[in-house]
Amino acid sequence: MNQNIDNPIVGIDLLKMLMLQLYSNPRCIYREYIQNALDSINEAVKLGILSRVKDGHVNIHISSNNITIEDNGTGIKSSIAAKILTDIANSIKNGIDTAGQFGVGRLSGGGYCEVLEFETTYQGEDVSTIVSMDTRILRKLLDENHNDISAEDAMKQICSVQTIEAPVNKHNFVVRLKNIINSADILLNANEIQAYIKEVAPVDYSTTFSALINSSKQQNFVARHKSIDKIKVSLNEVPDIEKSYDIKVKGSDDVIEKLRYFELPEHEKFGKMGWGWYAVTDFSVQINDEKDPCAGIRLRKHNISLDRNILNPYFKEARGNKYFYGEIFITNENIVPDSGRQGLAAGEEADALIKAIKDYFAILHLVYNKASRLKTKLKNLDELLGKIEDASDPKVKNILSDKLREQVREYEKFSSPDSHVEVNDVLDIYNKKYCRNLYPRIQNVLYPTSNPGPATVEDNPETVDPNSVPAPQGGSQPATTVGQGSATTVPKLIPDSNPEPPRFRPTAPQPPTPPTPPTSRPATPPSAPSSSAPRPQSELDEMLMSLQDRQQCTSDQIAILRKVFKTMMIVCPSASKKTLTMLMRAAIESIG
């Protein structure tokens, strides 16, 4: 049997949650009010009140104990202003074509001030509507534990409405936080708030970074990048705040070579997911996010950033995102942030987006790992070259030169073009470093009679067309990239089948050997090699036997050396056997 439900009561604790406890980070109130301003500015463009989104502006003023945030969007008609501003979660916003979606963000400032005030004017009307919310009354009701009061009744007690005269052509919306009482050290710190706005707000890029965008060869993305929503935001005496991205990564000092754009694959059921960019550098170290708030790839909807760490878990390693500088713009209409913008609201589309991002981040994992290994290889080559250049002993030079040849072969093999254009970006950077800084020195050390000077890309034009490389087996590529993606191929110094390399010889003059008298004979003829001595089985055996043949070691001494060398080879790690062989050869030569 069905029973009737009495009128449900929405308790006063709802106001406590929305007004006093909605955000853990006080700075979020600035993002919320800028987000609401963006919606109003977009609406003003649709109505023809503003010509374009860029004509919209938000002016923020922070004084000793008050905050004012004003935008030049449509404002709200006086006939409905009071109802809209006092209603709770009764917004027409849906989060699809608007940045806001719940209509509660405007209340969040109440937790930090004594009075939260809204003033709005609609174009063509000669009045402004002012709605004031006295949060002191709300706190008193909560302290006195008035659980019997509904949220609606509480709003009636804390709110007051008035109208004042205004110019007919005026259109605006103003938020005032009067008498800051909580988190004043954060909310009233203009420098910190400016840094936060640079990080999260839909503002433009600097002139230098815009030049980097325009210089990209992926022109279809350039047009898209330049067309994203951007509004002007000023703070006190700073007239036009810009995002912090520049031509150099502040948190690592890496120079940005170019931007790499990518498109997340279109889902077969949900359609488009999103697209993004990241800065191509040599990825030398992790970006220090304490020095650089732009560290990591940021997820944005309507060009407003979600939590800075939201994408970190989608890398194979938690540290992976700290190597990158970039943004992903969500283009699927049904994917929206949660109420606190700490993540995405649950849904199948959101799950599909996360999977697409994880797949692409698997490629970016290869990028910074490749960069790390290339950096190590170049460092090892540089150190080894320094040792050879400083060495005076020809035997030591020969040993180190053999090791250098081996490392050069390994680098040439490791630096060959990859199937992913993203990896080729990194290869290109490090191969150019190799050709510019190390190639001439290696040439001079290994082949001193021919020194061509620094190698250049023109010396070795062979590249791989990224469009001709087949996609990895096991499925389609997780994201598509458009534009240049081939890697500079390093010129080969060491052929695969290398003839006997030149050896370093002592440069000191040798005393002449005196002529032997024709009749002279040795007093005691040398003993013939023992028939029981083992015959050469390898280059090492041959060198050992030559010592005996030249009477420089006895057969017993040869046997001991062979046993020692054999034992050393047994206990030596496989990766070091070549080095050990070179050392043994040098030891035998020194005896000779």
Side-chain angles (χ1 to χ4, degrees), residues 238-458:
V238 181
D240 196 357
I241 296 175
E242 298 172 332
K243 291 183 181 180
S244 294
Y245 298 109
D246 210 335
I247 58 175
K248 190 174 184 180
V249 179
K250 297 174 185 176
S252 66
D253 287 333
D254 286 342
V255 175
I256 298 176
E257 300 288 336
K258 65 178 182 180
L259 304 185
R260 166 59 63 188
Y261 290 98
F262 57 91
E263 181 94 38
L264 296 175
E266 187 169 330
H267 194 274
E268 59 182 10
K269 178 179 178 182
F270 304 122
K272 294 182 178 181
M273 293 283 108
W275 64 276
W277 66 269
Y278 67 86
V280 176
T281 70
D282 56 9
F283 303 101
S284 62
V285 294
Q286 293 182 58
I287 302 172
N288 187 331
D289 57 356
E290 292 183 0
K291 294 181 179 179
D292 195 337
C294 290
I297 296 178
R298 310 295 295 270
L299 187 62
R300 306 179 83 96
K301 181 70 183 284
H302 297 291
N303 198 20
I304 298 174
S305 179
L306 278 69
D307 182 77
R308 66 161 60 182
N309 298 314
I310 185 176
L311 295 181
N312 291 358
Y314 305 143
F315 274 86
K316 288 186 176 181
E317 300 171 312
R319 63 191 178 94
N321 203 19
K322 295 299 171 63
Y323 284 93
F324 293 91
Y325 229 38
E327 299 171 301
I328 294 178
F329 300 95
I330 301 172
T331 54
N332 186 290
E333 294 181 344
N334 295 318
I335 300 175
V336 296
D338 61 23
S339 59
R341 284 190 172 264
Q342 304 300 305
L344 297 174
E348 291 182 289
E349 291 92 340
D351 291 343
L353 173 66
I354 290 171
K355 183 183 183 305
I357 291 174
K358 282 183 177 179
D359 289 344
Y360 190 67
F361 282 3
I363 296 176
L364 298 192
H365 175 82
L366 301 177
V367 168
Y368 71 83
N369 270 277
K370 192 78 170 184
S372 177
R373 296 175 68 182
L374 286 166
K375 177 185 175 183
T376 300
K377 288 182 182 295
L378 292 190
K379 180 182 177 183
N380 291 343
L381 283 169
D382 180 64
E383 291 177 351
L384 185 55
L385 281 166
K387 291 178 181 179
I388 296 173
E389 291 161 348
D390 293 340
S392 57
D393 187 335
K395 295 184 178 68
V396 173
K397 279 180 173 283
N398 284 331
I399 293 170
L400 295 177
S401 295
D402 287 341
K403 187 174 182 180
L404 176 62
R405 289 184 181 87
E406 186 61 31
Q407 287 193 12
V408 170
R409 286 191 189 96
E410 289 178 2
Y411 182 82
E412 289 174 351
K413 182 178 179 180
F414 188 73
S415 63
S416 58
D418 192 86
S419 61
H420 295 106
V421 293
E422 294 85 354
V423 177
N424 284 335
D425 287 338
V426 172
L427 285 170
D428 189 57
I429 291 172
Y430 280 92
N431 286 349
K432 286 178 179 176
K433 288 185 178 184
Y434 171 85
C435 292
R436 181 174 61 248
N437 302 327
L438 297 178
Y439 179 87
R441 293 171 62 196
I442 296 171
Q443 180 81 16
N444 188 55
V445 166
L446 297 183
Y447 307 102
T449 59
S450 173
N451 186 3
T456 64
V457 180
E458 288 74 18

Side-chain angles (χ1 to χ4, degrees), residues 86-113:
T86 57
D87 275 359
I88 303 171
N90 188 29
S91 174
I92 60 172
K93 296 182 178 182
N94 54 20
I96 294 176
D97 47 15
T98 58
Q101 54 186 334
F102 300 115
V104 297
R106 70 178 183 279
L107 302 178
S108 60
Y112 304 98
C113 61

Side-chain angles (χ1 to χ4, degrees), residues 42 66 82 123 136 144 179 224 262 303 333 343 364 366 378 396 450 498 519 542 544 553 573 578 588 590:
N42 277 323
N66 299 290
Q123 188 178 48
R136 293 168 296 185
E144 294 174 355
N179 299 326
R224 199 185 309 185
F262 57 91
N303 198 20
E333 294 181 344
L364 298 192
L366 301 177
L378 292 190
V396 173
S450 173
N498 196 39
T519 57
E542 186 175 2
L544 287 171
C553 289
K578 290 183 179 180
I588 294 170
S590 67

Side-chain angles (χ1 to χ4, degrees), residues 83-246:
K83 176 171 175 55
I84 287 178
L85 294 175
T86 57
D87 275 359
I88 303 171
N90 188 29
S91 174
I92 60 172
K93 296 182 178 182
N94 54 20
I96 294 176
D97 47 15
T98 58
Q101 54 186 334
F102 300 115
V104 297
R106 70 178 183 279
L107 302 178
S108 60
Y112 304 98
C113 61
E114 290 185 346
V115 177
L116 176 63
E117 184 176 275
F118 306 111
E119 179 180 343
T120 182
T121 308
Y122 194 81
Q123 188 178 48
E125 297 186 348
D126 59 359
V127 295
S128 293
T129 304
I130 300 175
V131 175
S132 297
M133 300 180 181
D134 193 330
T135 62
R136 293 168 296 185
I137 298 175
L138 175 62
R139 289 184 176 89
K140 183 178 180 181
L141 293 173
L142 291 169
D143 289 343
E144 294 174 355
N145 199 24
H146 286 279
N147 290 329
D148 55 333
I149 298 178
S150 68
E152 293 91 337
D153 289 339
M155 285 294 284
K156 291 177 182 178
Q157 292 190 42
I158 69 173
C159 291
S160 62
V161 181
Q162 63 175 314
T163 57
I164 59 174
E165 291 184 2
V168 176
N169 61 348
K170 188 175 182 180
H171 52 93
N172 73 333
F173 190 91
V174 186
V175 181
R176 299 187 183 96
L177 282 70
K178 297 182 176 180
N179 299 326
I180 303 298
I181 56 176
N182 293 322
S183 303
D185 56 332
I186 297 174
L187 294 176
L188 299 176
N189 187 322
N191 290 332
E192 286 193 10
I193 298 307
Q194 180 181 338
Y196 179 74
I197 291 171
K198 285 174 174 278
E199 181 183 348
V200 304
V203 294
D204 208 345
Y205 301 93
S206 67
T207 302
T208 51
F209 192 80
S210 295
L212 198 60
I213 294 173
N214 292 331
S215 67
S216 174
K217 295 181 179 179
Q218 297 174 267
Q219 284 298 308
N220 58 326
F221 281 101
V222 171
R224 199 185 309 185
H225 202 172
K226 292 166 70 174
S227 66
I228 57 176
D229 284 346
K230 292 181 283 285
I231 58 176
K232 294 181 179 179
V233 178
S234 63
L235 172 59
N236 290 359
E237 65 277 359
V238 181
D240 196 357
I241 296 175
E242 298 172 332
K243 291 183 181 180
S244 294
Y245 298 109
D246 210 335

Side-chain angles (χ1 to χ4, degrees), residues 551-583:
Q551 293 186 303
Q552 291 166 321
C553 289
T554 66
S555 58
D556 290 340
Q557 291 171 328
I558 295 292
I560 292 172
L561 284 172
R562 181 177 287 107
K563 187 173 183 180
V564 170
F565 288 163
K566 183 178 180 180
T567 302
M568 292 171 65
M569 290 297 289
I570 292 173
V571 300
C572 178
S574 299
S576 303
K577 288 188 185 296
K578 290 183 179 180
T579 303
L580 178 59
T581 301
M582 290 189 292
L583 292 172

Side-chain angles (χ1 to χ4, degrees), residues 465-485:
D465 181 358
N467 297 319
S468 68
V469 180
Q473 297 298 313
S476 59
Q477 188 122 342
T480 57
T481 51
V482 181
Q484 301 300 312

